[in-house]
Amino acid sequence: MTVGDRRDLVVSAVSTMVGIVVGLTFLFGFGNVFALALRLGVPVWVAPLVAPAVDLTVVALLVAIRRLSAHGAAPEVHRSARRLLVLASAVTLALNVAEPLIAGEIG
């Protein structure tokens, strides 16, 4: 096995692990936000749409900031995108911890 083949194998393994972690994190957040939405009386057909909307916003902003950096966008554009990313991340965190806090399942 050549060095290039080993490197490709390592890159593939790391990419697979990152994909698994991202998927499990998404499922964790989905479960928390779905339970919170149902507790708050959100209709069953709307409840599963909340978590993906916020999570996909964070992912889209991460990709957008990377592309802006790669294409030399102005610092003002970066600042706006980062502010929105911080806000979306804070909303994601709040949604993920609200249901366990309400249920008294801290820890």
Side-chain angles (χ1 to χ4, degrees), residues 22-85:
V22 167
L24 290 173
T25 303
F26 179 79
L27 288 174
F28 173 78
F30 180 83
N32 283 340
V33 176
F34 185 71
L36 175 66
L38 292 179
R39 179 185 288 265
L40 296 176
V42 174
V44 175
W45 63 273
V46 175
L49 303 175
V50 178
V54 177
D55 290 342
L56 292 175
T57 299
V58 171
V59 171
L61 284 165
L62 288 170
V63 171
I65 289 170
R66 174 69 183 117
R67 293 208 29 106
L68 287 170
S69 295
H71 290 78
E76 297 81 28
V77 176
H78 283 275
R79 268 187 243 118
S80 298
R82 285 191 186 119
R83 284 186 194 128
L84 187 55
L85 177 61

